[in-house]
Amino acid sequence: MSTSTVSMASTAPKKGGGRRKLSLPVILLIIAAGLALFSLVRVISGANDLTSVGQVAGALQLAVPIGLAGLGGLWAERAGVVNIGLEGMMILGTWFGAWAGYQWGPWTGVLMGIVGGALGGLLHAIITVTFNVNHIVSGVAINILAVGVTRYLSNFTFAEAEGGSSKQSPRIEQITDITVPGLSDWLADLQARHWFFISDLAGVLGGLVTNLSLLTVLAVLLIPGTWWVLWRTSFGLRLRSCGENPVAAETLGVNVYKYKYIAVIVSGGLAGLGGAFLAIVSTGIYQEGQTGGRGYIGLAAMIFGNWMPGGMALGAGLFGFTDSLKLRGGSQNVHAMLLLLAILLVVVVVWQLYRKKYLQAVIAAAVSALLFTWYSLTDALPSQFVDAAPYVTTLLVLALSAQRLRMPKADGMPYRKGEGK
């Protein structure tokens, strides 16, 4: 009875309508328009690396750890547990992944990275679910604890190993990269011609088929996999019900504690996988502090994506792309982004005028004019602004998307077993 009731609730039409879903042709049209805008900015600014094969490949590699952390946050918060401890779980993943990776190979390191993050998730679940401690307090404590534990363990593991020290591990063997022969070279040649739109499309596609790590492929597949598990299975329905209304879920026979534990442990494992990716694929070595706040940025990507896998992936891609711009082209690429933002704000002005929201239109127009002026009067940006670009992007995206967000109703709320009886 409980399963059928929950299934009926999931398939029943929602009152009040809801946001209209975009069809595939509309999504493809939006992507094409965005790529055309990038192409226009590239032609005007002369920043030819903006959509190059190397830029796209670098953005994908930088987006994967952020996306895995965001995916971990999505699992936890869909079950009603706020996971601020994603950063600490990533740190545990980097250490355990490197510790096992340099001794027994990279894939063993990947598995141990998942285990390390899952242990952090288990600790968070015990503290928040069983003992009902404030989720934010628990997450911050785990972040602090992870730094101390990994620093302590490094002193008598990596420091005593050849090629290691108390702050870094020995070199880890790399995971196999995939390049599609023929197609990769053809797309690179096409991108190098710098044709409008065609070369940009070739650069994007080339970045997806050139020097692609097997672990990157696995990480990308986890996004549709998560969507299928959480939105197309009875297990996912029960888990999400714990984040929406745990008392009602309990009355229908759902073991809320069990599903919260599963969700938070999986959350930690995904964050740990992101940490292992950083140590094994991105750098090939563990270094103290190498997560660099990516756990927090992953949490921001999840919020930007409105607690949905697809939106979270877009947010992670945006942050990874901005970070890659900084690393590859420095001030020239980030300077070109000023022009891109100014043009986007012009579109926002037109949209707000159409909706008759004149105050928002005036503000967007003023900021757009400021960005156009800044772009016109400068040839490069200060290095401090270039370094801060990914974090500024995080703040801007969250500020602009805040009005359309809808978190799970019971996210972060205390729950005691037996409340539904």
Side-chain angles (χ1 to χ4, degrees):
M1 177 178 177
S2 61
T3 304
S4 61
T5 305
V6 174
S7 300
M8 289 173 62
S10 68
T11 56
K14 296 182 179 179
K15 295 181 179 180
R19 190 179 297 273
R20 182 182 297 176
K21 293 184 178 179
L22 297 177
S23 63
L24 181 59
V26 173
I27 293 174
L28 293 176
L29 184 62
I30 293 173
I31 293 173
L35 189 59
L37 179 58
F38 267 96
S39 186
L40 177 64
V41 170
R42 175 183 61 80
V43 171
I44 295 173
S45 65
N48 291 322
D49 198 41
L50 205 59
T51 54
S52 67
V53 172
Q55 163 66 25
V56 174
L60 180 61
Q61 187 176 98
L62 291 167
V64 166
I66 296 172
L68 288 170
L71 207 58
L74 187 148
W75 271 82
E77 299 209 10
R78 277 294 175 180
V81 179
V82 176
N83 194 356
I84 297 294
L86 289 169
E87 178 75 8
M89 296 167 198
M90 285 192 78
I91 293 172
L92 292 173
T94 60
W95 191 90
F96 278 93
W99 172 72
Y102 87 88
Q103 297 181 88
W104 302 300
W107 287 109
T108 305
V110 169
L111 292 176
M112 287 304 297
I114 295 172
V115 170
L119 289 174
L122 176 61
L123 178 61
H124 189 50
I126 292 171
I127 295 172
T128 58
V129 178
T130 301
F131 293 103
N132 215 18
V133 174
N134 182 277
H135 300 187
I136 305 299
V137 172
S138 173
V140 172
I142 288 173
N143 291 338
I144 297 171
L145 181 65
V147 174
V149 167
T150 53
R151 183 174 298 171
Y152 171 75
L153 292 174
S154 296
N155 286 329
F156 60 87
T157 51
F158 297 149
E160 298 178 359
E162 183 179 355
S165 69
S166 61
K167 293 187 177 182
Q168 70 176 42
S169 71
R171 180 64 56 179
I172 306 167
E173 182 183 347
Q174 287 293 299
I175 291 176
T176 304
D177 289 340
I178 302 173
T179 297
V180 179
L183 179 62
S184 175
D185 294 334
W186 177 68
L187 289 172
D189 291 339
L190 193 59
Q191 180 264 317
R193 297 179 183 274
H194 305 310
W195 292 337
F196 181 81
F197 190 81
I198 295 176
S199 292
D200 300 281
L201 179 60
V204 172
L205 296 177
L208 300 179
V209 297
T210 305
N211 296 329
L212 198 64
S213 170
L214 286 174
L215 190 55
T216 301
V217 177
L218 174 63
V220 171
L221 291 176
L222 286 173
I223 296 172
T226 290
W227 174 83
W228 183 83
V229 170
L230 293 185
W231 274 269
R232 286 294 181 268
T233 66
S234 58
F235 166 83
L237 177 59
R238 295 188 184 99
L239 187 146
R240 287 186 291 115
S241 71
C242 297
E244 295 292 341
N245 194 331
V247 175
E250 184 182 355
T251 61
L252 294 173
V254 176
N255 188 333
V256 176
Y257 273 21
K258 181 183 80 172
Y259 281 94
K260 283 180 179 286
Y261 262 86
I262 291 172
V264 180
I265 292 171
V266 171
S267 173
L270 288 168
L273 177 59
F277 186 96
L278 277 174
I280 298 171
V281 177
S282 297
T283 60
I285 194 171
Y286 164 82
Q287 291 177 313
E288 187 176 295
Q290 72 185 132
T291 55
R294 287 177 175 84
Y296 300 113
I297 299 178
L299 198 63
M302 178 206 67
I303 296 171
F304 164 78
N306 209 9
W307 288 265
M308 294 292 291
M312 183 282 306
L314 288 176
L318 172 64
F319 302 139
F321 182 80
T322 308
D323 208 5
S324 182
L325 284 177
K326 177 193 74 174
L327 295 176
R328 286 185 57 84
S331 60
Q332 183 185 17
N333 283 345
V334 179
H335 183 251
M337 292 300 291
L338 290 178
L339 179 60
L340 178 66
L341 289 174
I343 297 174
L344 285 175
L345 284 173
V346 172
V347 177
V348 171
V349 170
V350 174
W351 175 247
Q352 296 296 358
L353 289 174
Y354 172 77
R355 299 176 64 191
K356 298 182 179 180
K357 294 188 176 182
Y358 301 112
L359 178 61
Q360 292 89 333
V362 170
I363 294 173
V367 176
S368 177
L370 179 63
L371 290 175
F372 273 122
T373 303
W374 190 1
Y375 174 80
S376 301
L377 297 179
T378 58
D379 295 325
L381 296 178
S383 59
Q384 296 86 347
F385 185 86
V386 173
D387 293 336
Y391 307 101
V392 173
T393 303
T394 303
L395 293 174
L396 288 175
V397 165
L398 289 179
L400 293 173
S401 61
Q403 294 181 351
R404 65 174 183 83
L405 300 179
R406 189 266 182 199
M407 69 168 61
K409 291 181 180 179
D411 193 14
M413 295 177 61
Y415 164 79
R416 286 292 186 185
K417 189 174 183 180
E419 289 183 4
K421 295 182 180 179

